[in-house]
Amino acid sequence: MNDFTLNAEVRSDLGKGASRRLRRLASLVPAVVYGGEKAPESISMLAKEVAKLLENEAAYSHIIELNVGGTKQNVIIKALQRHPAKGHVLHADFVRVVAGQKLTAVVPVHFVGEEAPIKKGGEVSHVVSEIEVTCLPKDLPEFIEVDLANAEIGSIIHLSDLKAPKGVEFVALAHGDDKAVANVHAPRVAPEATEEGAAE
C-alpha cells in the first residue's frame, strides 16, 4: 500500500510567466515528470497538498503515487525549488520509477548514538544531512543510519565507514569520492578556561 500520493493535472500553459500565474492565482505548484522512456510531462499540483506531503521527511526518499488526471504513475522527487525567504515549493521535478530499473535518489541521514562521544567530552558535527544512492525501486531506503556510538574524539566518519542497506550503492563512492559524513572533535573552548575567564 502506497501511503504517499499526490494529485496533479496536466499543464499546457508553459513558461515562467505561466508558472508565476499558477502560483499566484491558483495556489498551484508547477512541476515536470520525466524519465521511464516517456516524454516529459508538465503538471501542476495544489500547493497545500505538496506542503502536506513534505511534512513527512520520508516523502523525499519514498516512491510517490502521482495521479495525473486519473492516470497513476510511480515517481520519486528529483529536485525541489523553494522560495528563498518563505521556504515553500516553487517548482518540483519528478522522475518516473520503472520496476527492475535502477534509480538515483537523495536519502536523508539519521545520526544515532551521539550521546557516547559527547559523554567522553567530544562534540559531534554533522557534515551531511542526506546521501545520494542508487538502487532498484524495491530497495530504496527511507533513510541511511549513521551510528556514532563507537566514534572516538578526533575521528572522522566517511561514507566508506557506513554499511549500505542491501542492494544500495552510494553514488559518491562509486565515483571515488569518499566524503566525510560526520566528525567528532574536542570542544573548541575548554570548560575550565571559560570559568577562569569568568572569574577574572
Side-chain angles (χ1 to χ4, degrees), residues 60-108:
Y60 292 90
S61 57
H62 212 282
I63 294 169
I64 297 163
E65 186 179 86
L66 186 66
N67 184 355
V68 183
T71 303
K72 294 177 181 177
Q73 53 191 319
N74 287 339
V75 300
I76 58 167
I77 297 169
K78 184 66 177 173
L80 294 174
Q81 183 192 341
R82 292 183 181 273
H83 189 285
K86 296 175 184 173
H88 58 255
V89 177
L90 297 174
H91 189 276
D93 285 347
F94 296 101
V95 176
R96 296 181 184 99
V97 171
V98 181
Q101 200 175 93
K102 281 194 172 185
L103 55 82
T104 302
V106 174
V107 176

Side-chain angles (χ1 to χ4, degrees), residues 74-193:
N74 287 339
V75 300
I76 58 167
I77 297 169
K78 184 66 177 173
L80 294 174
Q81 183 192 341
R82 292 183 181 273
H83 189 285
K86 296 175 184 173
H88 58 255
V89 177
L90 297 174
H91 189 276
D93 285 347
F94 296 101
V95 176
R96 296 181 184 99
V97 171
V98 181
Q101 200 175 93
K102 281 194 172 185
L103 55 82
T104 302
V106 174
V107 176
V109 173
H110 285 188
F111 294 93
V112 297
E114 292 181 69
E115 308 78 21
I118 290 171
K119 278 179 183 170
K120 294 176 192 169
E123 287 183 1
V124 176
S125 292
H126 300 164
V127 181
V128 300
S129 59
E130 54 192 27
I131 295 173
E132 193 173 25
V133 303
T134 180
C135 60
L136 290 171
K138 67 181 179 62
D139 295 326
L140 183 63
E142 221 164 87
F143 58 85
I144 299 293
E145 189 174 279
V146 178
D147 190 350
L148 300 170
N150 297 316
E152 298 294 331
I153 294 173
S155 64
I156 299 173
I157 293 85
H158 290 89
L159 264 184
S160 58
D161 298 321
L162 307 185
K163 190 175 186 303
K166 190 181 175 189
V168 176
E169 283 182 89
F170 299 136
V171 173
L173 270 187
H175 293 154
D177 179 13
D178 190 11
K179 58 172 70 174
V181 175
N183 59 62
V184 180
H185 50 84
R188 288 186 173 81
V189 180
E192 297 90 313

